[in-house]
Amino acid sequence: MKHETMEFTDGGLNLIDQRKLPGEVTYFRATDYRDVRLAISDMVVRGAPAIGATGAYGTYLAALEYSSRPKDEFLQLVKEACDQLASARPTAVNLTWAIDQMKGLIDEHADQPIEEILEVLFDGAEEIAAEDVEINKEMARHGVEVVPRGANVLTHCNTGALATVGYGTALGVIREAHKTGKGIHVYADETRPRLQGARLTAFELVEEEISATLIADSVAATLIRDKKVDVVLVGADRVAANGDTANKIGTYGLSELCAVHDVPFYVVAPTSTVDYSVESGADIEIEERSPEEVLMINGKRIAPEEIDVYNPAFDVTPAKNVTGVITERGIARSPLKESLSRFND
Ligand code: MRU
């Protein structure tokens, strides 16, 4: 992508403001961990890997803020800030994963001077960010195998450079298939209610000059039934140990359509998205977001004041509907519990 999703400069984290794309390309600058928490919860930055790396920088910013305090107080306050950051959004495990990595570094270096802990934390955040791009490229190299030449690929939400530090997960595979001359065509779901497909995926597809058609979410069923989709590629916010996958609301429905019409359905996610501590999808917390997201479009109310709203941000696709999970370490196929367990070391 022509624009960076995030960049840490001069003591602050610059995040492309995804609330304003594609109309305005502007950056939100987070100079303390509270700004970072707000950026995650308000979806300035979104997408599981992107919020993970953002959380890591947030931990560093908290440490910087408290660096003049006595050591015990410093450690306590940074830990509290980590808890605050981790609670910004509950479903994507990458956020807690990245913050746990940073907490691990703090524990490991707790005996050292604060100045040194700061350095270790900054390097740790930079490493999480840099590794994310490498991991995405690795997933793309594995994933491109499942995309037939000339395929029509359907994708949901935004899983591209914007949802990660760079390149993307499912959209990374699409990017790779395009780059390697597979001559693909993409159907991008608009992804109500936040329209990540219409606003962000379409933005990335147009920038990359990938042949694509934007569709309303409800069009996917007709396309899949009419054999106009060869493969569905989606991302994930959390994959349970048995392969059940939490992802953007609407993913489960797509997976059922694929199962009925015999279309391959792949999840593309780094192994850091697999939560081995969670046995099945039933144990994944699903974030519910503000009713305003459903009641309003572009700041304009479209429904009556009195109506009740149910707005879960994610749903869970059962492992039986998942043809494979494409990770940086290879493709896990059925039985997913067994094949995913091989990546748990
Ligand atoms: O609510 P969002 O926009 O953060 O949801 C994003 C998704 O559901 C993505 O599919 C998932 O995080 C994987 S992103 C590479």
Coordinates of all heavy atoms in Angstrom, one line a residue, residues 3 7 46 94 96 137 167 175 225 227 270 272-273 294 299 330 335 340:
H3 N 0.4 3.9 1.6 CA 0.4 4.6 2.9 C 0.7 3.6 4.0 O 0.3 2.4 4.0 CB -1.0 5.2 3.2 CG -1.6 5.9 2.1 ND1 -1.2 7.2 1.7 CD2 -2.4 5.5 1.1 CE1 -1.9 7.5 0.6 NE2 -2.6 6.5 0.3
E7 N 3.3 4.1 12.2 CA 4.7 4.4 12.2 C 5.0 5.1 13.5 O 4.3 6.1 13.8 CB 5.1 5.3 11.0 CG 6.5 5.3 10.7 CD 6.8 6.1 9.4 OE1 6.0 6.9 9.0 OE2 7.9 6.0 8.9
R46 N -7.8 -0.9 13.3 CA -8.6 -2.1 13.6 C -7.9 -3.2 12.7 O -7.0 -3.0 12.0 CB -10.1 -1.9 13.3 CG -10.5 -0.9 12.3 CD -10.1 -1.3 10.9 NE -10.5 -2.6 10.5 CZ -10.0 -3.3 9.6 NH1 -9.0 -2.9 8.8 NH2 -10.4 -4.6 9.3
N94 N -4.9 -11.3 19.2 CA -3.6 -10.7 18.9 C -3.2 -9.5 19.9 O -2.1 -9.2 20.2 CB -3.5 -10.1 17.5 CG -3.9 -11.2 16.5 OD1 -5.0 -11.8 16.6 ND2 -3.0 -11.6 15.7
T96 N -4.1 -9.2 23.2 CA -3.6 -9.7 24.4 C -2.3 -10.4 24.2 O -1.4 -10.4 25.0 CB -4.6 -10.6 25.1 OG1 -5.3 -11.3 24.2 CG2 -5.5 -9.9 26.1
K137 N 3.7 -12.1 4.6 CA 4.3 -12.4 3.3 C 4.4 -14.0 3.3 O 4.2 -14.6 2.2 CB 5.6 -11.7 3.1 CG 5.4 -10.2 2.8 CD 6.6 -9.5 2.4 CE 6.3 -8.1 2.1 NZ 7.5 -7.2 2.1
Y167 N 0.9 -5.5 4.3 CA 0.6 -6.6 3.4 C -0.7 -7.3 3.6 O -1.5 -7.3 2.7 CB 1.7 -7.7 3.4 CG 1.9 -8.3 2.1 CD1 2.6 -7.6 1.1 CD2 1.4 -9.6 1.8 CE1 2.7 -8.2 -0.2 CE2 1.6 -10.2 0.5 CZ 2.2 -9.5 -0.5 OH 2.4 -10.0 -1.7
R175 N -3.4 -10.3 -2.8 CA -2.3 -9.5 -3.3 C -1.2 -10.3 -4.0 O -0.8 -10.0 -5.1 CB -1.6 -8.7 -2.1 CG -1.0 -7.4 -2.4 CD -0.5 -6.9 -1.0 NE -1.5 -6.4 -0.1 CZ -2.0 -5.2 -0.2 NH1 -1.6 -4.3 -1.1 NH2 -2.9 -4.8 0.7
R225 N -24.1 -19.5 -4.9 CA -25.0 -20.5 -5.5 C -24.8 -20.6 -7.0 O -24.9 -21.7 -7.6 CB -26.5 -20.0 -5.2 CG -27.5 -21.1 -5.7 CD -28.9 -20.4 -6.0 NE -28.8 -19.3 -6.9 CZ -29.7 -18.4 -7.1 NH1 -30.8 -18.4 -6.3 NH2 -29.6 -17.4 -8.0
K227 N -22.2 -20.4 -8.7 CA -20.9 -20.9 -9.0 C -20.0 -19.7 -9.6 O -19.1 -19.9 -10.4 CB -20.9 -22.0 -10.1 CG -21.8 -23.2 -9.6 CD -21.0 -24.1 -8.7 CE -21.8 -25.2 -8.2 NZ -21.8 -25.3 -6.7
P270 N -2.2 -15.5 11.2 CA -0.9 -15.9 11.8 C -1.1 -16.9 13.0 O -2.2 -16.8 13.6 CB -0.3 -14.6 12.3 CG -1.4 -13.7 12.4 CD -2.5 -14.1 11.5
S272 N -0.2 -16.5 15.9 CA -0.5 -15.7 17.1 C -2.0 -15.5 17.2 O -2.5 -15.0 18.3 CB 0.2 -14.4 17.0 OG -0.1 -13.6 15.9
T273 N -2.8 -15.8 16.2 CA -4.3 -15.6 16.3 C -4.9 -16.9 16.8 O -6.1 -16.9 17.2 CB -4.8 -15.3 14.9 OG1 -4.2 -14.1 14.5 CG2 -6.3 -15.0 14.9
V294 N -25.3 0.7 13.8 CA -26.4 0.1 12.9 C -27.4 1.2 12.6 O -28.0 1.2 11.5 CB -27.0 -1.1 13.6 CG1 -28.2 -1.7 12.8 CG2 -26.0 -2.1 14.0
G299 N -23.0 9.2 9.8 CA -23.4 10.2 10.7 C -24.9 10.6 10.5 O -25.4 11.4 11.2
G330 N 2.4 -22.9 7.4 CA 1.8 -23.8 6.5 C 0.3 -23.8 6.7 O -0.3 -23.1 7.4
P335 N -8.3 -33.0 10.3 CA -8.9 -32.4 11.4 C -8.1 -31.2 12.0 O -6.9 -31.4 12.3 CB -9.0 -33.6 12.4 CG -7.9 -34.5 12.0 CD -7.7 -34.3 10.5
L340 N -3.6 -28.0 13.8 CA -3.2 -26.7 14.5 C -2.3 -27.0 15.7 O -1.4 -26.2 16.0 CB -4.5 -26.0 15.0 CG -5.3 -25.2 13.9 CD1 -6.6 -24.7 14.5 CD2 -4.5 -24.1 13.2

